[in-house]
Amino acid sequence: MTDTSIPSADESLAEETAPAVATEEAEETEVEPEAQEKKAPADSELFRQSEIAADYVEGLLDILDYDGDIDELVSGGRPVVEVVGGRLQNLIGQRGATLEALQELARLAVFRQTGSPSRLLLDVGGYRATRRKELAAVAKNAVEKVKEYGEPVRLEPMSAFERKCVHDVVNAMSGVESESEGVEPNRRIVVRPVSD
């Protein structure tokens, strides 16, 4: 088995310390279209969730004395809040750890006002879009190694968002499959040949 772990400057810090309101499995589970129609909140409710989260993030930016433009929207059937501006790197943190924690806080703010869990996605400075591209390259590289050597490849530990991005890329390719293993914060993906 090939290990592609990338050592970080300080491995002792837990990179994903925030409790998950919506777990990776919940985000990855496919729901039948009929069931989805019954359970999926309307776009107006999703937009309301993004507004609540945006208000929370705006208050946080005011406290921290950071300037940023905040956009609320609904994308892919989930509420999204995007923050853009200079001097926001501290809101992302090492490998997005701070961003993940802020997202969980924003989800809790939505839950507190609505009484229902949210699949809110928070992005700061386009970090998630950039990271999604990087993860697509990592996934494709792992798939190439699996196809070349026929052995499973273990990737470095990742957040639920990162694992979802990798699973999406791997699942779109033939001859390989992926699964998550381990426990947070060391949960990782294993890419392997499809078993016949």
Side-chain angles (χ1 to χ4, degrees):
M1 185 176 290
T2 306
D3 191 347
T4 60
S5 296
I6 300 171
S8 65
D10 187 0
E11 295 256 338
S12 65
L13 291 177
E15 293 178 358
E16 303 294 327
T17 57
V21 171
T23 63
E24 170 195 8
E25 288 78 14
E27 291 183 5
E28 290 178 19
T29 304
E30 290 186 23
V31 179
E32 293 182 25
E34 296 166 0
Q36 193 172 19
E37 288 174 14
K38 294 176 188 172
K39 294 181 180 179
D43 279 354
S44 61
E45 175 59 26
L46 294 175
F47 189 74
R48 180 172 175 261
Q49 290 179 16
S50 67
E51 287 179 320
I52 293 167
D55 288 344
Y56 177 81
V57 171
E58 184 176 15
L60 183 65
L61 291 178
D62 287 344
I63 291 169
L64 296 172
D65 196 27
Y66 284 4
D67 290 326
D69 292 326
I70 301 173
D71 292 325
E72 313 100 22
L73 55 128
V74 174
S75 178
R78 64 192 302 181
V80 178
V81 173
E82 296 176 346
V83 183
V84 292
R87 243 178 27 106
L88 296 175
Q89 186 61 34
N90 289 338
L91 296 179
I92 298 169
Q94 183 181 5
R95 294 196 52 223
T98 305
L99 176 59
E100 290 293 327
L102 291 174
Q103 177 176 278
E104 292 307 317
L105 290 172
R107 285 178 175 179
L108 287 172
V110 171
F111 179 77
R112 188 171 180 189
Q113 285 197 27
T114 66
S116 59
S118 176
R119 293 182 59 234
L120 173 84
L121 187 66
L122 175 64
D123 194 10
V124 174
Y127 173 81
R128 291 195 188 277
T130 302
R131 186 69 177 138
R132 196 174 278 122
K133 289 177 188 174
E134 293 169 355
L135 291 166
V138 167
K140 289 174 185 174
N141 185 39
V143 167
E144 288 173 12
K145 286 181 181 179
V146 168
K147 288 183 175 182
E148 184 176 346
Y149 299 110
E151 293 185 15
V153 173
R154 294 176 73 222
L155 300 177
E156 65 185 46
M158 298 179 185
S159 68
F161 163 77
E162 293 172 323
R163 291 191 306 269
K164 173 82 168 83
C165 292
V166 172
H167 283 306
D168 288 347
V169 172
V170 172
N171 290 336
M173 302 179 137
S174 62
V176 291
E177 61 187 5
S178 63
E179 70 176 349
S180 295
E181 69 175 17
V183 179
E184 297 291 354
N186 297 313
R187 196 156 167 79
R188 64 180 66 223
I189 290 180
V190 177
V191 181
R192 61 175 46 101
V194 172
S195 54
D196 295 327

